[in-house]
Amino acid sequence: AQVASQMNPAMASSGPAGGAPSGAPAQSQPVVTADPGRESKPAQLLWHGPNQVKIGTHFSVALRVTSAQPVRASPMQIRVNPALLETVAVKPGRFFSEGDRNFSYRVNPDGSIFVGATSRNPTPAADAEFLVLTFMPLKTAPAAELSIASLNLQGPTGRPIAFGQPEAFRTAIAP
């Protein structure tokens, strides 16, 4: 079974880290793009992965993005509880594994995963698979969580692309 964590459309990027500054109202008006006269909705992010997993069995979670604006880069930081989930693999999704694109990552012992992905030929993303993370559950838990701590979607000229912050992905870990 797959579960999708939907982003909150009321929350849009207004800062360099990708989320609204603390205490700032969420942006609710259309975002003006680099193309004068053209307006676009904020990009949408969505997690896809299993509702429940078993200890010792690898599973994958994909981050999918839809953006009317071409995406050139997407530096991000992801958080996971390392006591519950061991990071096994971090791979570019189909969007960043095709063509002239660069992808790098770093997994830290504290559960933070830093990902850098860029494209020399930016394209819009229509339900594009940006990132695939593979984990191994370490102990039972009612909910293991995966969340985006920071994200900066960038357009062709490096300008930020507004996006709605997705809810954290949650999966139950069974024995």
Side-chain angles (χ1 to χ4, degrees):
Q2 294 276 324
V3 67
S5 295
Q6 187 70 27
M7 65 98 184
N8 179 349
M11 294 179 67
S13 171
S14 63
S22 181
Q27 186 177 1
S28 61
Q29 298 177 354
V31 177
V32 178
T33 65
D35 181 5
R38 181 177 172 210
E39 293 184 358
S40 179
K41 294 180 184 178
Q44 297 179 6
L45 295 118
L46 187 66
W47 290 109
H48 285 273
N51 291 324
Q52 184 175 16
V53 296
K54 291 185 180 185
I55 291 178
T57 304
H58 292 187
F59 72 98
S60 294
V61 178
L63 178 63
R64 302 185 75 80
V65 178
T66 297
S67 173
Q69 297 181 59
V71 177
R72 180 184 66 84
S74 63
M76 69 179 81
Q77 179 185 3
I78 298 166
R79 299 280 312 156
V80 63
N81 183 341
L84 297 177
L85 298 172
E86 177 185 335
T87 303
V88 175
V90 179
K91 296 189 254 180
R94 285 183 216 109
F95 184 83
F96 281 114
S97 65
E98 297 173 355
D100 196 7
R101 302 173 193 275
N102 294 316
F103 183 86
S104 64
Y105 69 92
R106 182 179 75 235
V107 178
N108 291 336
D110 69 355
S112 58
I113 303 168
F114 295 91
V115 178
T118 60
S119 169
R120 291 191 185 166
N121 300 308
T123 58
D127 193 30
E129 184 182 74
F130 254 32
L131 177 67
V132 179
L133 302 159
T134 303
F135 298 99
M136 183 172 63
L138 301 174
K139 62 182 181 180
T140 60
E145 189 172 285
L146 174 67
S147 62
I148 296 176
S150 66
L151 172 63
N152 184 5
L153 290 180
Q154 298 173 9
T157 62
R159 286 185 164 194
I161 297 173
F163 64 91
Q165 182 72 23
E167 292 179 13
F169 171 79
R170 290 176 184 86
T171 189
I173 302 174

